[in-house]
């Protein structure tokens, strides 16, 4: 799976989580850019990403994520390790 395909799936997750089909995410998108992105939404996003991509993240990995680009990087690394 390439970066573009990962972005497409993550965009779907964000649109579903925030019930907003107009959300557009880029590498730099972070919690400050989406009004309802709080800690609970973050946990739900991470859980949905684990389910969607068939991966497991640990707290240390998730705690370091500063933006969507870093999420995509983490998913790419995890998928490559499979």
């Amino acid at each position: 799976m390439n970066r573009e395909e990962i972005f497409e799936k993550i965009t779907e997750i964000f649109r579903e989580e925030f019930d907003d089909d107009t959300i557009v995410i880029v590498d730099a998108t972070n919690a400050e850019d989406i009004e309802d992105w709080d800690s609970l939404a973050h946990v739900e996003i991470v859980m949905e990403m684990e389910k969607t991509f068939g991966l497991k993240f640990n707290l240390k990995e998730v705690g370091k994520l500063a933006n969507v680009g870093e999420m995509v990087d983490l998913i790419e690394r995890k998928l490559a390790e499979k």
Side-chain angles (χ1 to χ4, degrees):
M1 182 174 292
N2 66 35
R3 191 170 183 82
E4 184 178 322
E5 292 168 328
I6 294 170
F7 253 101
E8 287 174 16
K9 289 188 178 287
I10 290 177
T11 298
E12 291 173 22
I13 292 169
F14 272 76
R15 288 178 176 174
E16 181 71 26
E17 174 64 31
F18 298 110
D19 195 28
D20 182 351
D21 289 339
T22 66
I23 288 178
V24 176
I25 58 170
V26 296
D27 281 324
T29 302
N30 63 40
E32 293 177 10
D33 299 320
I34 300 175
E35 184 177 341
D36 294 330
W37 189 351
D38 57 16
S39 57
L40 178 59
H42 188 76
V43 169
E44 290 174 354
I45 289 166
V46 169
M47 288 175 24
E48 190 60 34
M49 284 193 286
E50 287 180 326
K51 180 178 161 188
T52 298
F53 295 102
L55 302 171
K56 285 289 184 194
F57 305 114
N58 65 47
L59 288 176
K60 188 176 180 181
E61 292 169 328
V62 174
K64 291 180 180 180
L65 300 175
N67 57 43
V68 172
E70 291 183 11
M71 288 179 176
V72 174
D73 292 342
L74 177 60
I75 291 167
E76 282 183 312
R77 278 195 311 274
K78 290 282 202 176
L79 289 174
E81 293 170 3
K82 280 182 106 177

